[in-house]
């Protein structure tokens, strides 16, 4: 018989604690909500009522249910109020000594059979448990932010947590409508171990002025379908909490430099820029606790205004190449009303590309997304050619040939001879240095990266890559073109992986390392990232879709350029590629796709 939890205590009513109170009370459990002082208690109460009022306003909670929910909560200052609860969840700041003190006191105050749980994100549950005389009844219950919304709970058992306590807590999670993954006590558990290196890296990009906060966030949302960008997520987590988590993970997790908090984070904490809860972090909010971002001095001017700044007029576009990307890019430009000259290496290839563009446009017509007239108009704007000489009078060339530096350099040298002055020359490379192709011409100021995502007609993002020689006018032109294509442009420097791949692939590689270390299963890791962080796909699902060979190649490039030991490709990834398990395309990657 599973243990009955009729009343629980929550200690600390900040970002997480208030949400945890809401989860329990919503599910019919009485809650004793405890804070350190009267003012803190008032803030905690406001956190809870703010959240439930928003749920009512959004129609997600009936007013009567809200009242019943709030009626189940008793507020108190000090731990003494917890003497008769069945379970306590602690959610105070991420400091080991503080948590140990609280657990020692909880041990004295609470009834002997009560379970004591911590919501720590990174500290050792084992170290917290030994502050009590009942370490076998101490467990980690790690909720995700915002607790009422995120489905995942990581249940963390130590070597001494008794099996029935684990089973009771698992049953409780199910009752709360949560999905749990039960794991051992390791720094960052599953989700944070995979998330925080990525967050820290994103802050480092921002600190180095590699890209703006808006562009870093837009890149990850639009390029990977994440629910929010990394800097907005830092603000939601709390910059101080993120600092403590990184610091602990660095010390507990083998001193991986990628977890050493970027100096800017500490500076922000010192300056009181803690994120949403203080009204200002990477972004500025309407007021403390509000999710509404308001413009500040770092907010870029309206996109059109910025783009018009020195942008050159573009009417005629050359697209070189005959692969998937070239085909998609031709379609995108033609649909947006540009005159397009497609150049391939022969009439046969041109015919294939033409067919592919037609097929794709026809699909749009069948799905009701494009009229027959617009389809014919788009096709009518494309000229099919097999010679670069036809690019003599275009305004923009987009190169999308094979990903080999020598081929791209030779092509850019030819374009330099053929094209008129003032043309913007763009490469779609996803991994080669743009400056290398720029220097193959006599006009590096006019060369820029335009990194489209696959499939180009669908993906809303384009990374505009600026080299140290690219002129502001060229960048402005690239931005304006993207806007005219209905795409969101993000501008970044010329480093391996640009924004999206540099932030995405190390995370995927870390997931492979975690699997390799037998810490968890591919299914649980995928679950954790989908349900804990709202990712559209788990890392192993995504690796199988992208292709393990492609992922390995990108990861190698990142490692070679940045020489960061933590970026070294996971041996398991290399072995799977060697074995020919490349993902969906070969029927097997991390999973077997042949029987699905
Ligand atoms: N923020 C997140 O996204 C997130 C997600 C999951 C887990 N966590 C973990 O949850 C815990 C709490 O983090 P947070 O972000 O909610 O912090 P927070 O700073 O928002 O809230 C902490 C609260 O604890 C209260 N407190 C401090 N000392 C206390 C005491 N002695 N007795 C009672 N209350 C006390 C503070 O007044 C404050 O309201 C940390 O262990 C953190 O790692 C955070």
């Amino acid at each position: 018989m599973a243990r009955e939890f009729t009343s629980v205590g929550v200690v600390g009513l900040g970002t997480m604690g208030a949400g945890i109170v809401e989860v329990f009370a919503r599910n019919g459990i009485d809650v004793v909500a405890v804070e350190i002082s009267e003012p803190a208690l008032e803030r905690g109460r406001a956190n809870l009522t703010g959240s439930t009022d928003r749920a009512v306003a959004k129609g997600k909670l009936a007013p009567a249910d809200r009242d019943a929910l709030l009626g189940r909560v008793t507020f108190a200052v000090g731990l003494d109020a917890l003497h008769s609860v069945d379970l306590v969840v602690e959610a105070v700041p991420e400091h080991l000594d503080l948590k140990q003190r609280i657990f020692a006191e909880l041990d004295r105050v609470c009834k002997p059979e009560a379970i004591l749980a911590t919501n720590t994100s990174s500290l050792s549950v084992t170290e917290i448990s030994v502050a009590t005389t009942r370490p076998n009844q101490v467990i980690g219950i790690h909720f995700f932010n915002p607790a009422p919304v995120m489905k995942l709970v990581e249940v963390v058992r130590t070597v001494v947590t008794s099996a029935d306590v684990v089973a009771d807590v698992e049953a409780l999670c199910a009752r709360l409508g949560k999905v749990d993954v039960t794991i051992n006590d390791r720094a960052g558990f599953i989700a944070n171990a995979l998330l925080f290196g990525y967050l820290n890296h994103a802050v480092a990009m921002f600190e180095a002025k590699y890209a703006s906060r808006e562009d870093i966030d837009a890149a990850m949302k639009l390029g990977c379908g994440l629910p929010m960008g990394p800097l907005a997520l830092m603000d939601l987590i709390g910059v101080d909490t993120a600092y403590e988590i990184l610091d602990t993970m660095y010390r507990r997790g083998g001193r991986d430099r990628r977890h050493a908090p970027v100096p800017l984070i500490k500076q922000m904490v010192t300056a009181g820029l803690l994120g949403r809860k203080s009204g200002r972090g990477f972004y500025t909010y309407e007021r403390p606790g509000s999710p509404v971002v308001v413009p500040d001095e770092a907010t870029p001017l309206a996109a059109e205004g910025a783009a018009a700044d020195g942008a050159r007029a573009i009417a005629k576009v050359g697209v070189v190449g005959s692969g998937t990307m070239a085909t998609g890019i031709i379609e995108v430009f033609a649909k947006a009303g540009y005159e397009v000259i497609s150049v391939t290496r022969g009439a046969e290839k041109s015919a294939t590309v033409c067919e592919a563009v037609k097929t794709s446009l026809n699909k749009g017509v069948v799905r009701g997304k494009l009229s027959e007239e617009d389809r014919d108009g788009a096709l009518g704007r494309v000229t099919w050619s097999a010679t670069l000489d036809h690019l003599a009078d275009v305004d923009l060339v987009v190169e999308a040939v094979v990903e080999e530096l020598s081929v791209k350099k030779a092509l850019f040298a030819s374009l330099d001879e053929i094209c008129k002055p003032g043309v913007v020359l763009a490469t779609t490379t996803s991994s080669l240095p743009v400056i290398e192709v720029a220097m193959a011409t006599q006009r590096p100021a006019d060369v820029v990266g335009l990194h489209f995502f696959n499939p180009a007609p669908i993906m809303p993002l384009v990374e505009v890559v600026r080299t140290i020689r690219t002129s502001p006018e060229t960048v402005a032109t690239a931005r304006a073109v993207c806007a005219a294509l209905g795409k969101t442009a993000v501008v970044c420097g010329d480093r391996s992986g640009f924004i999206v791949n540099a932030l995405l692939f190390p995370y995927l590689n870390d997931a492979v390392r975690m699997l390799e270390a037998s810490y968890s299963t591919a299914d649980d890791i995928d679950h954790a990232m989908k349900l804990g962080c709202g990712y559209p796909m788990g890392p192993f699902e995504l690796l199988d879709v992208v292709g393990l060979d492609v992922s390995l190649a990108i990861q190698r490039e990142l490692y070679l350029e940045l020489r960061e030991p933590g970026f070294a490709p996971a041996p398991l990834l290399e072995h799977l590629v060697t074995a020919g398990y490349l993902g969906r395309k070969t029927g097997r990657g991390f999973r077997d796709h042949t029987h699905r």
Side-chain angles (χ1 to χ4, degrees), residues 434-435 444-449 465-472 474-475:
V434 178
I435 190 67
D446 297 330
V447 178
V448 71
V465 185
R466 177 183 53 194
T467 76
I468 45 173
R469 300 284 301 262
T470 310
S471 73
T474 302
V475 173

Side-chain angles (χ1 to χ4, degrees), residues 354-391:
C354 179
E355 259 329 293
V357 172
K358 269 188 198 155
T359 308
S360 174
L361 288 170
N362 279 333
K363 268 191 203 152
V365 173
V366 171
R367 292 195 185 129
K369 290 189 175 160
L370 192 70
S371 70
E372 292 191 3
E373 207 182 340
D374 287 345
R375 172 197 62 194
D376 298 343
L379 280 172
R381 279 189 284 277
V382 187
T383 312
W384 306 99
S385 163
T387 162
L388 291 174
D389 293 337
H390 283 139
L391 302 178

Side-chain angles (χ1 to χ4, degrees), residues 10-18 20 34-37 40-41 43-44 47 78-79 90-95 98-99 101-102 118-123 141-146 192 196 233 236-238 240-242 244-245 274 277:
V10 175
V11 183
L13 307 177
T15 308
M16 288 311 292
I20 295 168
V34 170
E35 259 292 351
I36 192 168
S37 64
L41 195 62
R43 276 198 304 276
N47 283 346
L79 302 180
E90 162 279 312
V92 304
E94 190 77 343
H95 297 292
L98 172 66
K99 292 197 191 258
R101 259 202 329 274
I102 288 189
T118 172
N119 184 48
T120 182
S121 309
S122 57
L123 294 167
I141 305 185
H142 184 228
F143 287 88
F144 284 76
N145 187 1
N192 285 349
F196 272 82
L233 180 54
L236 175 69
I237 290 168
D240 52 342
T241 301
E244 296 301 335
I245 294 173
L274 307 184
K277 61 184 164 192

Side-chain angles (χ1 to χ4, degrees), residues 398-422:
V398 180
E399 164 277 312
V401 304
V402 66
E403 189 79 343
E404 263 175 46
L405 190 55
S406 58
V407 177
K408 292 199 194 264
K409 279 168 89 165
L411 175 60
F412 272 73
S414 305
L415 292 173
D416 192 24
E417 297 197 337
I418 292 164
C419 296
K420 66 184 183 189

